[in-house]
Amino acid sequence: EVGAVLLEHYDGSFVNLLEKANRSAVSLVQEVVANFPSFNDIATYQGQTIYLYKRAQLLVADLYGAFEGHGYGEFLDLDQVTIFADYKLPQVLRHYHVLEYDPPLSYLVDNYLPVVPGSPEEVELRSAAIQAVELMRQSFAARHHPIPAFKLDWWLWTLGQNDVVRQKPYHRTRTVFY
């Protein structure tokens, strides 16, 4: 998919895609989700469209990290990117009692049963993780320690590699969006 879209829309060059975004993280995310179906991570929840965009936002943050915020990694609006909600951050937030699962969801997750992609449970897990980390980000900013959401994501993801955090499993959802 990526190669075909790059050939069709960007003369086969990822650099052309980056240049079209003109150092805007938001523009790059919008361009990617508009043209690469496996990055267009949206769900419907109670009749509302929920824009999760995990992989598209992760792409932006990874470029920032790889280029240390310079050149192809320089984005003027990186503060507009949320965390990259997948399976890991809800697990970490649950471990630290930031998120609490209701009994039916706990049963599914703790017994390694599938959580259907796009189901209310999956959308709630991912959305709750985004909201929780946004509240964390706002709390840091109010204490004069601003930190972008993507860096909180990196930190939490790293915490999730600890064995103690992995004592309770993550939710099992098969999807191209993680």
Side-chain angles (χ1 to χ4, degrees), residues 32-43 51 53 55-56 177:
V32 167
V33 300
N35 291 295
F36 299 84
S38 68
F39 285 77
N40 192 15
D41 183 9
I42 61 172
Y51 303 91
Y53 296 161
R55 292 178 59 217
F177 297 124

Side-chain angles (χ1 to χ4, degrees), residues 3 8 16 18 24 38-39 59 69 73 79 83 94 102-103 116 122 125 127-128 134 136 155-156 158 166:
E8 184 177 335
N16 291 337
L18 293 177
S24 168
S38 68
F39 285 77
L59 169 67
D79 61 325
I83 65 159
R94 182 185 190 198
D102 67 8
V116 176
E122 191 233 6
L125 274 171
S127 298
E134 176 57 20
M136 290 171 63
W155 175 67
L156 290 166
T158 301
R166 295 188 305 213

Side-chain angles (χ1 to χ4, degrees), residues 95-171:
H95 171 78
Y96 288 106
H97 306 286
V98 174
L99 294 183
E100 184 177 323
Y101 297 179
D102 67 8
L105 181 60
S106 291
Y107 179 83
L108 284 175
V109 174
D110 294 343
N111 289 286
Y112 301 90
L113 298 172
V115 175
V116 176
S119 68
E121 296 84 2
E122 191 233 6
V123 176
E124 289 170 2
L125 274 171
R126 296 177 74 198
S127 298
I130 292 169
Q131 180 64 19
V133 176
E134 176 57 20
L135 292 172
M136 290 171 63
R137 189 198 63 71
Q138 289 174 12
S139 178
F140 281 118
R143 290 174 175 82
H144 306 290
H145 299 290
I147 182 170
F150 75 93
K151 287 188 177 182
L152 284 172
D153 183 290
W154 289 349
W155 175 67
L156 290 166
W157 190 90
T158 301
L159 287 176
Q161 305 316 301
N162 296 331
D163 288 339
V164 66
V165 174
R166 295 188 305 213
Q167 288 175 348
K168 289 210 181 252
Y170 55 81
H171 68 278

